[in-house]
Amino acid sequence: MSPAAPEELVLAVGAPAHGGHCVARPVDDPNGRVVFVRHALPGETVRARLSQKTSKMWRADAVEVLTASPDRVDPVWPEAGPGGVGGGELSHVALPAQRTWKRWVLADCLRRLGGEQVAEAVLALPESSAPGGVPVEPMPSETRAARSGDPRVRALAGTGTRTRVELTATPDGRAGMNAFRSGTVLPVSSLPLAVPALQELGLTERSRWRKQLRPGTRVHAVAPSGGDPVVVLTDGRGETVLTGAAHATGRRRVDELVDADGLGLGELRYSVHADGFWQVHRDAPAVLVDRVVRAALGARPSAAGTRKGDAPLDRDTVAGTRVLELYSGAGLFTLPLALLGCEVLSLEGSEQAVRDARRTLHDLPGTRLHAGRVTAASVAELGVSFGPGRDERADVVVLDPPRAGAGREVAQAVAVLGPRRIVLVACDPAALARDLGTLLAAGYAPASLAALDMFPHTHHFETVAILERA
């Protein structure tokens, strides 16, 4: 017996929801069952195929557009469309409209998950003066593309930005990616979101790579800013590192260069393991370093970063600031904070990332790097371990937690330390809202918030929030 055809519905599409969906309802039943539909746009009418149907949740993919939004464009990555791979779910949306989408999602998460107190506090910030709340800002390369006189450059804005790509070999040995919300690996023929240096490797089509791939092989391709690309293959035999020409190499580390001129630090150099974590958008490390360090040490609390006419940070003023850095990774923020003379105590759960940071900061005094889980207990212990007698508290706490956020217990422990300023970096608006709710309840108030479109053509974006004691 052949399987039943997937159920289809004609849907009227409403507002975006967190996760890359829109809230939709059947056109013939405006008050009927909510369906979370992908590959659609607010205001559209679509024919959608159900992909999940439970008592709590209906999900669907738009497979035919009956009434199109003016913000719909030809997708820059069709293979991430209906029934395709994950990771490019907004590639059918014009880039400015993607940022409007994300602004709506941020405002919704702040109110629905953070609560009215959080939503109203953020709306009171100067950066929320635009309709719809805090704007989602483009990265510098996207701004330059949008201003280009070449229509093709404008049309491809947001592509060619990712310096890291993750692939998995299909059962027949082709490069692929996971289907949305599935363990099934689908072959891909192009990588339009990857930087040109990775696209030129030909990972999806050249025979030299097919020879290296066994079913299930994981491929981690890296185009560092300080050298040539490398490709890390991981399978049952272990890990192999290859050059861009698919030749074995003993190179296990890459150099990343970050422009910190706005802080008065020039170019920063980091040593990172080839398959270690690093911000994937080519602009992200410099943008985050500038914004987070200024947010932590600036005389006024601002997440806007260096603006035209701003002077570099005054080292004589900021030197000696006691900074507790949580989820510190490979030292992206640790290095500039240390170079500015801060006393930095960092905590990171990945031992490999801590080793990377130690290699980068090996000759800098005043910095102590710890490997271990970030918990309420570890925050309470480390946050009062500054000063000559190791019994002084942090002046500033910087935390950049994973997508799940810091969580209630860690956020409460940070607040108990009583730093004058908290800088929270979040890559998920739902986690941001929950952590802000905890910190506001503990006596802190948001002083500035920036939202950054570091993941164009996906529903993800980054935020930098500054909180001070109310």
Side-chain angles (χ1 to χ4, degrees):
M1 180 182 296
S2 60
E7 186 177 350
E8 293 188 353
L9 300 168
V10 177
L11 300 174
V13 183
H18 180 43
H21 302 79
C22 286
V23 178
R25 296 179 189 268
V27 293
D28 57 1
D29 188 4
N31 297 314
R33 180 65 184 253
V34 167
V35 181
F36 292 94
V37 62
R38 302 175 74 236
H39 312 296
L41 273 157
E44 292 188 331
T45 304
V46 301
R47 187 180 304 280
R49 183 172 298 146
L50 286 176
S51 57
Q52 180 185 9
K53 187 176 181 181
T54 69
S55 60
K56 295 183 178 180
M57 179 83 68
W58 286 17
R59 297 181 188 271
D61 285 351
V63 294
E64 182 183 0
V65 180
L66 304 176
T67 305
S69 164
D71 292 322
R72 179 174 284 274
V73 296
D74 291 336
V76 299
W77 192 15
E79 288 174 308
V85 300
E89 63 277 358
L90 297 189
S91 80
H92 64 290
V93 184
L95 206 55
Q98 291 182 31
R99 292 191 279 271
T100 299
W101 176 307
K102 295 174 184 184
R103 188 180 74 217
W104 289 347
V105 168
L106 174 59
D108 176 64
C109 286
L110 290 173
R111 188 170 299 279
R112 184 168 47 84
L113 301 174
E116 289 295 329
Q117 182 187 13
V118 169
E120 294 304 319
V122 172
L123 279 174
L125 297 175
E127 48 264 48
S128 292
S129 59
V134 176
V136 178
E137 305 172 46
M139 290 291 94
S141 57
E142 275 79 77
T143 299
R144 290 191 295 270
R147 294 172 178 168
S148 171
D150 186 336
R152 177 172 169 79
V153 172
R154 293 198 302 271
L156 294 178
T159 64
T161 62
R162 295 196 173 198
T163 63
R164 267 84 177 152
V165 170
E166 300 279 354
L167 302 167
T168 302
T170 64
D172 61 351
R174 290 185 289 170
M177 299 177 71
N178 285 83
F180 176 68
R181 294 175 63 88
S182 171
T184 302
V185 179
L186 303 176
V188 292
S189 62
S190 64
L191 300 170
L193 304 188
V195 293
L198 292 182
Q199 294 185 38
E200 292 164 5
L201 296 180
L203 292 167
T204 62
E205 71 271 3
R206 291 186 179 170
S207 60
R208 65 174 179 240
W209 298 109
R210 291 286 298 273
K211 294 176 183 177
Q212 302 284 348
L213 301 183
R214 297 168 177 259
T217 298
R218 302 299 299 271
V219 181
H220 182 81
V222 180
S225 54
D228 296 328
V230 294
V231 178
V232 182
L233 305 181
T234 307
D235 57 22
R237 299 171 298 179
E239 181 181 279
T240 305
V241 183
L242 305 175
T243 67
H247 299 147
T249 176
R251 182 180 172 198
R252 292 293 187 274
R253 312 190 67 81
V254 297
D255 288 337
E256 293 289 355
L257 309 178
V258 176
D259 180 1
D261 272 348
L263 303 175
L265 296 175
E267 186 177 76
L268 307 180
R269 180 179 291 270
Y270 298 78
S271 177
V272 184
H273 197 276
D275 64 354
F277 175 79
W278 191 253
Q279 292 288 337
V280 298
H281 193 292
R282 61 187 178 188
D283 298 342
V287 169
L288 284 174
V289 161
D290 184 74
R291 295 206 182 215
V292 170
V293 174
R294 275 200 178 268
L297 303 179
R300 59 184 180 86
S302 172
T306 302
R307 296 301 177 94
K308 186 175 181 179
D310 285 349
L313 291 174
D314 185 344
R315 298 192 195 202
D316 290 338
T317 300
V318 303
T321 302
R322 300 184 293 270
V323 181
L324 174 63
E325 187 188 359
L326 306 174
Y327 314 96
S328 53
L332 179 63
F333 308 136
T334 321
L335 178 59
L337 289 168
L339 288 171
L340 287 166
C342 297
E343 183 182 354
V344 186
L345 197 162
S346 71
L347 181 61
E348 163 59 40
S350 166
E351 293 187 3
Q352 177 178 284
V354 176
R355 288 195 294 271
D356 289 344
R358 286 187 176 132
R359 183 180 289 259
T360 296
L361 288 110
H362 68 278
D363 59 349
L364 286 173
T367 302
R368 288 174 285 151
L369 312 177
H370 293 262
R373 290 183 59 238
V374 178
T375 65
S378 60
V379 170
E381 178 183 355
L382 294 176
V384 295
S385 302
F386 291 87
R390 300 292 193 237
D391 57 359
E392 297 179 23
R393 294 176 179 264
D395 300 311
V396 177
V397 175
V398 174
L399 61 162
D400 185 5
R403 186 151 287 140
R408 181 175 56 85
E409 292 183 355
V410 168
Q412 287 176 339
V414 168
V416 167
L417 292 176
R420 59 177 173 81
R421 186 174 294 176
I422 299 169
V423 181
L424 171 62
V425 185
C427 59
D428 183 273
L432 169 73
R434 289 190 290 265
D435 287 344
L436 286 179
T438 300
L439 291 168
L440 264 65
Y444 281 80
S448 184
L449 177 65
L452 307 168
D453 193 15
M454 292 185 173
F455 307 93
H457 301 299
T458 81
H459 70 275
H460 300 292
F461 57 99
E462 200 92 2
T463 54
V464 178
I466 306 176
L467 299 101
E468 296 196 319
R469 283 181 296 214

